Amino acid sequence: MNRIARHTFHVVALMAFFAGGLKVTTTQVFAGTDPSNQQALAEVSSGAGPENVSSLVLQYAEAMAAGRVEEWATLDLGCLARRQEQSGSSSKPLSESVAKACWDATMAAHRKLVADETEPGIFGALGRGTGFGLIHESHQHADFWKDYPPALSVSPSVVRHNHATPVPLVQVGNVLDTRSVGLVIGQGQAPLGVQEVRVDISVTAPLALLPGEPWWASPVIRRYGPVHNLLARFTVVSGLRALGFPVDKAVVNEALPGAPLVAGPSVPGILPASPRWWNRSQNPQQFEASFQEARQAVSFQERVGKFQRLLLLDPKEPRVNAVLGTDLYTAFLQEGLAKGKITAKDEAIGLKLAELYRNLQAQTWRQEFTEVAVGHSFAADTFYKAMPALETALKGGQGNSEMRRRLGALYRWNNDTNSALSIHEDLLKEASPSDHALQAQLLSEIAWDRVQWLSWNRRYSHPWMIQAREEAEQALNLALSPIDKLIAGEALVILDALAVPRDQPRLQKHVEVIRTQHDRLSGVVGIWSHLVGNELVKSLIPEGRQVMLPAPVRSPEVMHRDVHLRIQDLNFLKTWGFDQDTAGGLPSGFSAGSTHEGSIGGWRIEADSKAPSLPHVITQSSPCAGDACFQVLLGARRTHELPDIVVYLRQVSSAGQGEAGIVLAAKDPRNFYAVTVNPTTKQLSIYRLQNGEPTLLGNGEIKTKPGPWHVLRVQTVNSAHVDHPRLEIYVDGHETRVMASEPIQGGGRIGLVTKGDMVAQFDRLRVIEMVTSRPMSKPAAY
């Protein structure tokens, strides 16, 4: 190819890529641009048949790319062999029906080769993803690597999605030396002697995984790019007339089932070292023109598709990412309004209501943030693509304070509280003190950032509870509009619901605040049910108990959403201070037991003037011998599936390695899990008791605060909604690094325990169960 023709090839191909829509996954140009190709075709058509192997391959590739079935079939060895099998004669011309059947079988084989494959262990993920997937030599070790036949690079079943897509331009590259080989005509037959020549053809190609990108299951988004060109190595065999074929040369069809093949090891049809990818520098003017054109597209899908194609050429382009990220963020909010059945006449108010809806959903029912919905999750797609787009835009200097605020909100909904707070606190520092509306908005953002962390991690005694309340109250006082007051007021309602102990009159007061602001909004429908009927507050607000929120479409194996709507007990937070019970006996509803035969321990209520909750504590005063002796006090016969348990405890005496702590998932006094501590040795242990026999699941050192009383907290965490609960354990507010070696299986009763010679006191036992951590399916969907 001469220099001018090669330049034309590149420019036209790049323009074809820019012009493509979201579903067009190939960069192609019209055949015939290169004069050397025209000359080769002339050589082919001038005589009785092609005498030049490069011209033969060129004609074969272009006939396939253009869909000229009969012309292609006369050059294809597999089709010629089929004719002989069906007609029994080599002199009859190739019939139209034989050519069509051969074409259809070849196209079906090509489609099967590039069909997406489910990636083992990854819910809804695809192994290759887009276009050819893996074609570069850096991915030859991948599980999904395939040695594609050369014709796949020009096959209409792969590179042409409709008749409007132009056929690709191909050009001859290297022609290798002729060599003698064996040709196997049919299965089980001996190889027959023929001559072989391999010809490299340069063609454009669809999207493929960029060199060095991760092909395995990875949290990193895999980057695909448009292939500038690759080399496809076709094989031509000659000497066929001597074997009864009507022509002497034909191209081997490696994909067609049962077609003749050259004996010996297979060779890659697409050379792994050959692919080259497009980049922006090859035509910056066209890139800019395409960007401006994409911004004018009316359809969201068309606009996003064009932006994504531009980012394939320059993933870090800040302007494209800024517009794309804004589009995706807005679409994510609008999807929330539709899912929540919320409408607003004013568009700006509608978007703020959508952000409030996402605030509520992010800490409760998170299905829209995952891929467990039936089919494609539009919400998850826009959500997880908006974050990196806005990040890239801001890093590139494209963006403003509103874009930063939105990125912070995305971080919050993604449970990245620290990143969200960092952005919103910086914006608050930069805001003018006289701009009360902006101050109110940012204070609300910061309060909701903290609420997300407090609610999701169940840290109800954390200092952020007070701080978030102060920020929400400031926002409520500074806010000028009903919508901004509503957002701040709902944060206060959530904080009231999480408070321990709960102040019900204060909660009801804030419910009336949001009711007043809601009623001031004109043309708003549907948000109220979410404000009083979300999982965190519905059991505490009488009208919330009557709310049934819209249920999203779900996969059949996902647990029915009623589990998140039915409130089994309005008092799902339970606290025992033991102060209303009679000294000398057991707390009401509790029962004592032991793994030691014939013992129930020395559990009794006692007065203690230094108790954390005056005037009583519960004491276990009967040591028992041996490391396998556990004295147990079990609570009322209520099953807790995923409890969050807190207790104050004090070591009275222990001569050795005695321990005291919390029981969970108990079936009876001999079958349970226990988390115990020894404040003196600063050791924490996790046990599974089965028929009275203990198994140590984990142990380690802990940090304790000075003083006789210590706070032990055990959370059963299932935040990914999979059926493998684990424990998070805190001592005196410090999270420990001690982990159980197995999941905590099954629900049960909760209680208190001592081990060995430990004498201990307990006070302020508290348990809460949050249904948001329950698994979405049995077994888990992913």
Short mmCIF file of all heavy atoms in Angstrom, two decimals, residues 268-320:
data_model
loop_
_atom_site.label_atom_id
_atom_site.label_comp_id
_atom_site.label_asym_id
_atom_site.label_seq_id
_atom_site.Cartn_x
_atom_site.Cartn_y
_atom_site.Cartn_z
N PRO A 268 -2.26 -19.86 15.33
CA PRO A 268 -3.24 -18.78 15.53
C PRO A 268 -3.63 -18.14 14.21
O PRO A 268 -2.79 -17.82 13.38
CB PRO A 268 -2.50 -17.79 16.44
CG PRO A 268 -1.41 -18.58 17.07
CD PRO A 268 -1.02 -19.62 16.07
N GLY A 269 -4.94 -17.95 14.02
CA GLY A 269 -5.39 -17.28 12.82
C GLY A 269 -5.23 -15.78 12.93
O GLY A 269 -5.01 -15.09 11.93
N ILE A 270 -5.37 -15.25 14.15
CA ILE A 270 -5.11 -13.83 14.42
C ILE A 270 -3.81 -13.76 15.21
O ILE A 270 -3.72 -14.32 16.31
CB ILE A 270 -6.28 -13.19 15.21
CG1 ILE A 270 -7.55 -13.22 14.35
CG2 ILE A 270 -5.94 -11.77 15.62
CD1 ILE A 270 -8.79 -12.72 15.07
N LEU A 271 -2.81 -13.13 14.65
CA LEU A 271 -1.48 -13.14 15.27
C LEU A 271 -1.50 -12.31 16.55
O LEU A 271 -1.78 -11.10 16.52
CB LEU A 271 -0.44 -12.60 14.30
CG LEU A 271 -0.36 -13.33 12.94
CD1 LEU A 271 0.80 -12.78 12.13
CD2 LEU A 271 -0.24 -14.83 13.13
N PRO A 272 -1.20 -12.90 17.71
CA PRO A 272 -1.35 -12.23 19.01
C PRO A 272 -0.49 -10.98 19.17
O PRO A 272 -0.84 -10.09 19.95
CB PRO A 272 -0.94 -13.30 20.02
CG PRO A 272 -1.11 -14.60 19.31
CD PRO A 272 -0.78 -14.31 17.88
N ALA A 273 0.64 -10.91 18.45
CA ALA A 273 1.52 -9.74 18.59
C ALA A 273 1.14 -8.61 17.64
O ALA A 273 1.75 -7.54 17.68
CB ALA A 273 2.97 -10.15 18.35
N SER A 274 0.13 -8.84 16.79
CA SER A 274 -0.15 -7.86 15.73
C SER A 274 -1.15 -6.76 16.08
O SER A 274 -1.07 -5.68 15.48
CB SER A 274 -0.65 -8.61 14.49
OG SER A 274 -1.95 -9.15 14.72
N PRO A 275 -2.13 -6.96 16.97
CA PRO A 275 -3.17 -5.92 17.14
C PRO A 275 -2.59 -4.57 17.58
O PRO A 275 -1.72 -4.50 18.44
CB PRO A 275 -4.08 -6.50 18.22
CG PRO A 275 -3.89 -7.97 18.14
CD PRO A 275 -2.44 -8.15 17.79
N ARG A 276 -3.10 -3.51 16.97
CA ARG A 276 -2.77 -2.15 17.36
C ARG A 276 -4.07 -1.39 17.58
O ARG A 276 -5.03 -1.55 16.82
CB ARG A 276 -1.95 -1.46 16.26
CG ARG A 276 -0.61 -2.11 15.98
CD ARG A 276 0.35 -1.97 17.14
NE ARG A 276 1.65 -2.59 16.86
CZ ARG A 276 1.95 -3.85 17.17
NH1 ARG A 276 1.04 -4.62 17.76
NH2 ARG A 276 3.13 -4.34 16.90
N TRP A 277 -4.10 -0.56 18.61
CA TRP A 277 -5.33 0.12 18.98
C TRP A 277 -5.29 1.59 18.56
O TRP A 277 -4.22 2.21 18.47
CB TRP A 277 -5.55 0.01 20.49
CG TRP A 277 -6.21 -1.26 20.91
CD1 TRP A 277 -7.51 -1.44 21.24
CD2 TRP A 277 -5.59 -2.55 21.06
NE1 TRP A 277 -7.76 -2.76 21.58
CE2 TRP A 277 -6.59 -3.46 21.48
CE3 TRP A 277 -4.30 -3.04 20.87
CZ2 TRP A 277 -6.35 -4.80 21.71
CZ3 TRP A 277 -4.05 -4.38 21.10
CH2 TRP A 277 -5.07 -5.24 21.52
N TRP A 278 -6.49 2.16 18.33
CA TRP A 278 -6.60 3.58 18.01
C TRP A 278 -6.29 4.43 19.24
O TRP A 278 -6.47 3.99 20.37
CB TRP A 278 -8.03 3.93 17.58
CG TRP A 278 -8.45 3.40 16.24
CD1 TRP A 278 -9.28 2.34 16.02
CD2 TRP A 278 -8.08 3.89 14.96
NE1 TRP A 278 -9.45 2.15 14.67
CE2 TRP A 278 -8.72 3.10 13.99
CE3 TRP A 278 -7.27 4.95 14.53
CZ2 TRP A 278 -8.58 3.30 12.64
CZ3 TRP A 278 -7.13 5.16 13.18
CH2 TRP A 278 -7.77 4.35 12.24
N ASN A 279 -5.86 5.66 19.00
CA ASN A 279 -5.76 6.64 20.08
C ASN A 279 -6.13 8.01 19.53
O ASN A 279 -6.18 8.23 18.31
CB ASN A 279 -4.36 6.65 20.72
CG ASN A 279 -3.28 7.03 19.73
OD1 ASN A 279 -3.23 8.16 19.26
ND2 ASN A 279 -2.41 6.07 19.42
N ARG A 280 -6.37 8.95 20.43
CA ARG A 280 -6.89 10.25 20.06
C ARG A 280 -5.95 11.04 19.15
O ARG A 280 -6.38 11.80 18.28
CB ARG A 280 -7.17 11.03 21.34
CG ARG A 280 -7.65 12.45 21.13
CD ARG A 280 -7.87 13.13 22.45
NE ARG A 280 -8.30 14.51 22.30
CZ ARG A 280 -8.61 15.29 23.31
NH1 ARG A 280 -8.55 14.82 24.54
NH2 ARG A 280 -8.99 16.54 23.11
N SER A 281 -4.65 10.87 19.32
CA SER A 281 -3.68 11.68 18.59
C SER A 281 -3.72 11.45 17.09
O SER A 281 -3.19 12.26 16.33
CB SER A 281 -2.27 11.40 19.11
OG SER A 281 -1.92 10.04 18.88
N GLN A 282 -4.35 10.37 16.65
CA GLN A 282 -4.38 10.08 15.22
C GLN A 282 -5.28 11.04 14.45
O GLN A 282 -5.14 11.18 13.25
CB GLN A 282 -4.81 8.63 14.99
CG GLN A 282 -3.73 7.64 15.44
CD GLN A 282 -4.26 6.24 15.58
OE1 GLN A 282 -5.36 6.03 16.08
NE2 GLN A 282 -3.48 5.27 15.15
N ASN A 283 -6.22 11.70 15.15
CA ASN A 283 -7.07 12.69 14.49
C ASN A 283 -7.76 13.54 15.55
O ASN A 283 -8.95 13.38 15.83
CB ASN A 283 -8.12 12.01 13.59
CG ASN A 283 -8.73 13.00 12.60
OD1 ASN A 283 -8.86 14.18 12.88
ND2 ASN A 283 -9.09 12.49 11.43
N PRO A 284 -7.02 14.49 16.18
CA PRO A 284 -7.60 15.29 17.26
C PRO A 284 -8.76 16.18 16.79
O PRO A 284 -9.69 16.44 17.55
CB PRO A 284 -6.43 16.12 17.77
CG PRO A 284 -5.43 16.12 16.65
CD PRO A 284 -5.60 14.82 15.95
N GLN A 285 -8.72 16.65 15.55
CA GLN A 285 -9.81 17.50 15.05
C GLN A 285 -11.11 16.72 14.96
O GLN A 285 -12.18 17.22 15.33
CB GLN A 285 -9.45 18.08 13.67
CG GLN A 285 -8.27 19.04 13.67
CD GLN A 285 -6.93 18.33 13.68
OE1 GLN A 285 -6.85 17.12 13.45
NE2 GLN A 285 -5.86 19.08 13.95
N GLN A 286 -11.02 15.49 14.48
CA GLN A 286 -12.22 14.66 14.39
C GLN A 286 -12.75 14.35 15.79
O GLN A 286 -13.96 14.29 16.01
CB GLN A 286 -11.92 13.37 13.64
CG GLN A 286 -13.13 12.46 13.45
CD GLN A 286 -14.20 13.09 12.59
OE1 GLN A 286 -13.89 13.78 11.62
NE2 GLN A 286 -15.46 12.88 12.93
N PHE A 287 -11.86 14.14 16.75
CA PHE A 287 -12.27 13.89 18.13
C PHE A 287 -13.09 15.07 18.66
O PHE A 287 -14.15 14.89 19.26
CB PHE A 287 -11.03 13.65 19.01
CG PHE A 287 -11.33 13.22 20.42
CD1 PHE A 287 -11.30 11.88 20.77
CD2 PHE A 287 -11.65 14.16 21.40
CE1 PHE A 287 -11.57 11.49 22.08
CE2 PHE A 287 -11.93 13.77 22.69
CZ PHE A 287 -11.89 12.43 23.02
N GLU A 288 -12.59 16.27 18.46
CA GLU A 288 -13.28 17.47 18.95
C GLU A 288 -14.64 17.63 18.28
O GLU A 288 -15.65 17.93 18.94
CB GLU A 288 -12.42 18.71 18.70
CG GLU A 288 -13.05 20.01 19.17
CD GLU A 288 -13.28 20.06 20.66
OE1 GLU A 288 -12.51 19.40 21.41
OE2 GLU A 288 -14.20 20.77 21.11
N ALA A 289 -14.69 17.42 16.97
CA ALA A 289 -15.96 17.55 16.25
C ALA A 289 -16.97 16.51 16.74
O ALA A 289 -18.16 16.81 16.90
CB ALA A 289 -15.72 17.39 14.75
N SER A 290 -16.49 15.30 17.00
CA SER A 290 -17.39 14.25 17.48
C SER A 290 -17.88 14.55 18.89
O SER A 290 -19.02 14.23 19.24
CB SER A 290 -16.66 12.90 17.45
OG SER A 290 -16.31 12.56 16.13
N PHE A 291 -17.05 15.16 19.72
CA PHE A 291 -17.47 15.54 21.07
C PHE A 291 -18.61 16.56 21.02
O PHE A 291 -19.61 16.44 21.72
CB PHE A 291 -16.28 16.09 21.85
CG PHE A 291 -16.64 16.70 23.18
CD1 PHE A 291 -17.30 15.96 24.15
CD2 PHE A 291 -16.33 18.03 23.45
CE1 PHE A 291 -17.64 16.52 25.37
CE2 PHE A 291 -16.67 18.60 24.66
CZ PHE A 291 -17.32 17.84 25.63
N GLN A 292 -18.44 17.58 20.18
CA GLN A 292 -19.48 18.60 20.07
C GLN A 292 -20.77 18.01 19.50
O GLN A 292 -21.88 18.37 19.93
CB GLN A 292 -18.99 19.75 19.18
CG GLN A 292 -17.77 20.49 19.73
CD GLN A 292 -18.01 21.07 21.13
OE1 GLN A 292 -19.14 21.42 21.50
NE2 GLN A 292 -16.95 21.16 21.92
N GLU A 293 -20.63 17.08 18.57
CA GLU A 293 -21.81 16.42 18.00
C GLU A 293 -22.52 15.58 19.06
O GLU A 293 -23.76 15.58 19.15
CB GLU A 293 -21.38 15.53 16.83
CG GLU A 293 -22.54 14.76 16.20
CD GLU A 293 -22.06 13.77 15.15
OE1 GLU A 293 -20.89 13.87 14.72
OE2 GLU A 293 -22.86 12.90 14.76
N ALA A 294 -21.75 14.89 19.89
CA ALA A 294 -22.35 14.04 20.93
C ALA A 294 -23.13 14.87 21.94
O ALA A 294 -24.18 14.45 22.43
CB ALA A 294 -21.25 13.24 21.64
N ARG A 295 -22.65 16.05 22.25
CA ARG A 295 -23.34 16.90 23.22
C ARG A 295 -24.71 17.33 22.71
O ARG A 295 -25.60 17.64 23.53
CB ARG A 295 -22.50 18.14 23.52
CG ARG A 295 -21.16 17.84 24.18
CD ARG A 295 -20.43 19.10 24.58
NE ARG A 295 -21.12 19.82 25.65
CZ ARG A 295 -20.63 20.90 26.25
NH1 ARG A 295 -19.46 21.37 25.89
NH2 ARG A 295 -21.30 21.49 27.20
N GLN A 296 -24.90 17.36 21.40
CA GLN A 296 -26.16 17.81 20.83
C GLN A 296 -27.17 16.68 20.67
O GLN A 296 -28.32 16.93 20.34
CB GLN A 296 -25.90 18.45 19.46
CG GLN A 296 -24.94 19.62 19.49
CD GLN A 296 -25.37 20.71 20.46
OE1 GLN A 296 -26.54 21.09 20.50
NE2 GLN A 296 -24.42 21.22 21.25
N ALA A 297 -26.74 15.44 20.89
CA ALA A 297 -27.66 14.30 20.72
C ALA A 297 -28.81 14.41 21.73
O ALA A 297 -28.59 14.70 22.90
CB ALA A 297 -26.91 12.99 20.90
N VAL A 298 -30.02 14.18 21.26
CA VAL A 298 -31.20 14.32 22.11
C VAL A 298 -31.39 13.10 23.00
O VAL A 298 -31.69 13.21 24.19
CB VAL A 298 -32.46 14.57 21.25
CG1 VAL A 298 -33.71 14.63 22.12
CG2 VAL A 298 -32.29 15.84 20.43
N SER A 299 -31.22 11.93 22.44
CA SER A 299 -31.45 10.68 23.18
C SER A 299 -30.34 10.44 24.20
O SER A 299 -29.15 10.59 23.90
CB SER A 299 -31.49 9.51 22.20
OG SER A 299 -31.32 8.28 22.86
N PHE A 300 -30.73 10.07 25.42
CA PHE A 300 -29.76 9.75 26.46
C PHE A 300 -28.85 8.59 26.02
O PHE A 300 -27.63 8.65 26.16
CB PHE A 300 -30.48 9.40 27.76
CG PHE A 300 -29.59 8.79 28.81
CD1 PHE A 300 -28.76 9.59 29.60
CD2 PHE A 300 -29.56 7.41 29.02
CE1 PHE A 300 -27.94 9.03 30.57
CE2 PHE A 300 -28.74 6.85 29.99
CZ PHE A 300 -27.93 7.67 30.76
N GLN A 301 -29.45 7.52 25.49
CA GLN A 301 -28.67 6.36 25.08
C GLN A 301 -27.69 6.72 23.97
O GLN A 301 -26.53 6.30 23.99
CB GLN A 301 -29.60 5.24 24.62
CG GLN A 301 -30.44 4.62 25.72
CD GLN A 301 -29.60 3.83 26.70
OE1 GLN A 301 -28.41 3.59 26.48
NE2 GLN A 301 -30.19 3.44 27.82
N GLU A 302 -28.13 7.51 23.01
CA GLU A 302 -27.24 7.91 21.92
C GLU A 302 -26.11 8.78 22.44
O GLU A 302 -24.94 8.61 22.07
CB GLU A 302 -28.03 8.65 20.84
CG GLU A 302 -27.18 9.08 19.66
CD GLU A 302 -27.94 9.91 18.65
OE1 GLU A 302 -29.15 10.15 18.88
OE2 GLU A 302 -27.33 10.33 17.65
N ARG A 303 -26.45 9.73 23.31
CA ARG A 303 -25.43 10.65 23.85
C ARG A 303 -24.39 9.88 24.66
O ARG A 303 -23.18 10.06 24.47
CB ARG A 303 -26.15 11.69 24.71
CG ARG A 303 -25.30 12.89 25.05
CD ARG A 303 -26.14 14.04 25.57
NE ARG A 303 -26.92 13.70 26.75
CZ ARG A 303 -28.25 13.55 26.75
NH1 ARG A 303 -28.94 13.72 25.63
NH2 ARG A 303 -28.89 13.24 27.86
N VAL A 304 -24.85 9.02 25.55
CA VAL A 304 -23.91 8.24 26.37
C VAL A 304 -23.07 7.32 25.50
O VAL A 304 -21.87 7.16 25.72
CB VAL A 304 -24.69 7.45 27.44
CG1 VAL A 304 -23.79 6.42 28.12
CG2 VAL A 304 -25.28 8.39 28.48
N GLY A 305 -23.71 6.72 24.50
CA GLY A 305 -22.96 5.83 23.61
C GLY A 305 -21.83 6.55 22.90
O GLY A 305 -20.71 6.05 22.80
N LYS A 306 -22.09 7.77 22.42
CA LYS A 306 -21.05 8.52 21.72
C LYS A 306 -19.94 8.94 22.69
O LYS A 306 -18.75 8.90 22.35
CB LYS A 306 -21.68 9.76 21.06
CG LYS A 306 -22.54 9.44 19.84
CD LYS A 306 -23.15 10.69 19.26
CE LYS A 306 -24.00 10.37 18.02
NZ LYS A 306 -23.20 9.88 16.90
N PHE A 307 -20.32 9.36 23.89
CA PHE A 307 -19.29 9.73 24.88
C PHE A 307 -18.41 8.52 25.22
O PHE A 307 -17.19 8.65 25.35
CB PHE A 307 -19.95 10.26 26.15
CG PHE A 307 -20.57 11.63 26.00
CD1 PHE A 307 -21.74 11.95 26.65
CD2 PHE A 307 -19.97 12.60 25.20
CE1 PHE A 307 -22.31 13.21 26.51
CE2 PHE A 307 -20.52 13.85 25.07
CZ PHE A 307 -21.70 14.16 25.72
N GLN A 308 -19.02 7.37 25.39
CA GLN A 308 -18.25 6.18 25.75
C GLN A 308 -17.30 5.79 24.64
O GLN A 308 -16.18 5.32 24.90
CB GLN A 308 -19.19 5.03 26.10
CG GLN A 308 -19.92 5.24 27.42
CD GLN A 308 -20.89 4.14 27.75
OE1 GLN A 308 -21.50 3.55 26.86
NE2 GLN A 308 -21.08 3.86 29.02
N ARG A 309 -17.69 5.98 23.39
CA ARG A 309 -16.78 5.67 22.28
C ARG A 309 -15.61 6.63 22.27
O ARG A 309 -14.47 6.25 21.99
CB ARG A 309 -17.54 5.72 20.96
CG ARG A 309 -18.54 4.60 20.78
CD ARG A 309 -19.22 4.65 19.44
NE ARG A 309 -18.29 4.39 18.35
CZ ARG A 309 -17.88 3.18 17.99
NH1 ARG A 309 -18.30 2.12 18.65
NH2 ARG A 309 -17.04 3.02 16.98
N LEU A 310 -15.86 7.90 22.56
CA LEU A 310 -14.76 8.87 22.64
C LEU A 310 -13.79 8.50 23.76
O LEU A 310 -12.57 8.63 23.61
CB LEU A 310 -15.32 10.27 22.86
CG LEU A 310 -16.06 10.89 21.66
CD1 LEU A 310 -16.77 12.17 22.09
CD2 LEU A 310 -15.10 11.17 20.52
N LEU A 311 -14.32 8.01 24.88
CA LEU A 311 -13.46 7.65 26.01
C LEU A 311 -12.65 6.39 25.74
O LEU A 311 -11.65 6.15 26.41
CB LEU A 311 -14.30 7.48 27.27
CG LEU A 311 -14.91 8.77 27.82
CD1 LEU A 311 -15.79 8.48 29.04
CD2 LEU A 311 -13.82 9.78 28.19
N LEU A 312 -13.08 5.60 24.77
CA LEU A 312 -12.25 4.46 24.37
C LEU A 312 -10.94 4.95 23.78
O LEU A 312 -9.91 4.27 23.88
CB LEU A 312 -13.00 3.59 23.36
CG LEU A 312 -14.19 2.79 23.89
CD1 LEU A 312 -14.93 2.12 22.75
CD2 LEU A 312 -13.75 1.76 24.91
N LEU A 313 -10.97 6.12 23.15
CA LEU A 313 -9.75 6.68 22.55
C LEU A 313 -8.94 7.48 23.55
O LEU A 313 -7.72 7.55 23.45
CB LEU A 313 -10.12 7.57 21.37
CG LEU A 313 -10.85 6.88 20.21
CD1 LEU A 313 -11.18 7.89 19.13
CD2 LEU A 313 -10.01 5.74 19.65
N ASP A 314 -9.61 8.10 24.51
CA ASP A 314 -8.92 8.91 25.53
C ASP A 314 -9.71 8.83 26.84
O ASP A 314 -10.54 9.69 27.13
CB ASP A 314 -8.80 10.36 25.06
CG ASP A 314 -7.93 11.20 26.00
OD1 ASP A 314 -7.50 10.65 27.05
OD2 ASP A 314 -7.70 12.38 25.71
N PRO A 315 -9.47 7.79 27.65
CA PRO A 315 -10.27 7.58 28.86
C PRO A 315 -10.18 8.72 29.87
O PRO A 315 -11.08 8.87 30.70
CB PRO A 315 -9.69 6.28 29.45
CG PRO A 315 -8.96 5.63 28.33
CD PRO A 315 -8.46 6.73 27.46
N LYS A 316 -9.12 9.51 29.83
CA LYS A 316 -8.91 10.56 30.83
C LYS A 316 -9.36 11.94 30.35
O LYS A 316 -9.11 12.94 31.01
CB LYS A 316 -7.43 10.62 31.23
CG LYS A 316 -6.88 9.32 31.79
CD LYS A 316 -7.61 8.91 33.06
CE LYS A 316 -6.99 7.64 33.64
NZ LYS A 316 -7.73 7.19 34.85
N GLU A 317 -10.05 12.03 29.20
CA GLU A 317 -10.46 13.32 28.68
C GLU A 317 -11.45 13.95 29.65
O GLU A 317 -12.56 13.44 29.86
CB GLU A 317 -11.13 13.14 27.31
CG GLU A 317 -10.87 14.28 26.35
CD GLU A 317 -11.52 15.60 26.80
OE1 GLU A 317 -12.61 15.55 27.40
OE2 GLU A 317 -10.93 16.66 26.54
N PRO A 318 -11.11 15.09 30.30
CA PRO A 318 -11.94 15.61 31.39
C PRO A 318 -13.28 16.17 30.94
O PRO A 318 -14.28 16.00 31.64
CB PRO A 318 -11.06 16.70 32.01
CG PRO A 318 -10.06 17.06 30.97
CD PRO A 318 -9.85 15.84 30.16
N ARG A 319 -13.34 16.81 29.78
CA ARG A 319 -14.62 17.40 29.35
C ARG A 319 -15.65 16.32 29.04
O ARG A 319 -16.82 16.43 29.41
CB ARG A 319 -14.41 18.30 28.13
CG ARG A 319 -13.56 19.53 28.38
CD ARG A 319 -13.35 20.27 27.07
NE ARG A 319 -12.77 19.38 26.07
CZ ARG A 319 -12.89 19.55 24.76
NH1 ARG A 319 -13.58 20.57 24.29
NH2 ARG A 319 -12.32 18.71 23.91
N VAL A 320 -15.21 15.27 28.35
CA VAL A 320 -16.13 14.17 28.03
C VAL A 320 -16.61 13.52 29.33
O VAL A 320 -17.81 13.24 29.49
CB VAL A 320 -15.44 13.14 27.12
CG1 VAL A 320 -16.39 11.97 26.85
CG2 VAL A 320 -15.01 13.78 25.82
#
